[in-house]
Amino acid sequence: MLHCAPSYWARLSELLLAGRPLRFSRDAEPAAHSRPQWRADAVRSELLELMVAHLSHLPEPEAADRVALTVRFLDSGLARWEHDSQAGVDGVAPLAPFTLILTDLGVAMLDAPSSDSPQADAYPRHPHLADHQALSPGRADDRSAA
């Protein structure tokens, strides 16, 4: 992003993600003529799968959603930085410290405890959310069935 000014990489990436499903597909078959792109996709898929596997404390669907949401959050943050720095918005941090903030937030998003796990019902971490969950449709039925 710093080597090509103005850079449109993050904004283009954000636009490309906007038209895709939340989770990244593992089933994409490469076209015979697109081997270099397929290699990049394979590396990206492997990285995403390793990230999901690292979140073994979460159910796999939640871990996959969390990874996908974190990627989108990071991409969106970089796109906003790109836009604001090009537009000359006051107070835009340099890219290096900004990416450290994004990294901290991304790690926190991935490592945050689940509010949707069975343990969350037994040990609510957020009392105000526990009250809301008890009033949500279907939740009371789930608890009475247990």
Side-chain angles (χ1 to χ4, degrees):
M1 289 172 50
L2 292 176
H3 294 294
C4 184
S7 172
Y8 297 97
W9 174 83
R11 288 174 275 181
L12 176 61
S13 183
E14 183 180 41
L15 285 172
L16 293 173
L17 281 176
R20 307 233 5 211
L22 175 62
R23 288 195 197 160
F24 300 99
S25 173
R26 297 177 188 160
D27 305 333
E29 286 296 322
H33 63 278
S34 65
R35 291 284 180 214
Q37 179 62 36
W38 179 77
R39 174 74 177 128
D41 288 345
V43 170
R44 183 194 72 199
S45 293
E46 183 179 347
L47 175 62
L48 294 172
E49 287 180 21
L50 287 169
M51 291 172 71
V52 170
H54 180 72
L55 301 177
S56 60
H57 63 285
L58 299 172
E60 194 276 335
E62 184 178 349
D65 286 347
R66 225 180 249 217
V67 168
L69 286 166
T70 301
V71 167
R72 287 171 184 266
F73 168 79
L74 296 172
D75 215 16
S76 180
L78 288 171
R80 191 74 244 167
W81 181 90
E82 225 176 42
H83 174 274
D84 290 354
S85 64
Q86 182 185 353
V89 173
D90 288 338
V92 176
L95 183 58
F98 184 75
T99 57
L100 291 174
I101 292 167
L102 282 177
T103 300
D104 289 344
L105 292 172
V107 169
M109 290 171 69
L110 293 170
D111 286 346
S114 176
S115 296
D116 195 33
S117 69
Q119 295 85 6
D121 287 337
Y123 305 102
R125 297 179 199 279
H126 309 284
H128 63 282
L129 291 177
D131 293 339
H132 173 73
Q133 289 173 347
L135 300 175
S136 298
R139 297 291 280 179
D141 295 338
D142 293 344
R143 288 188 181 146
S144 64

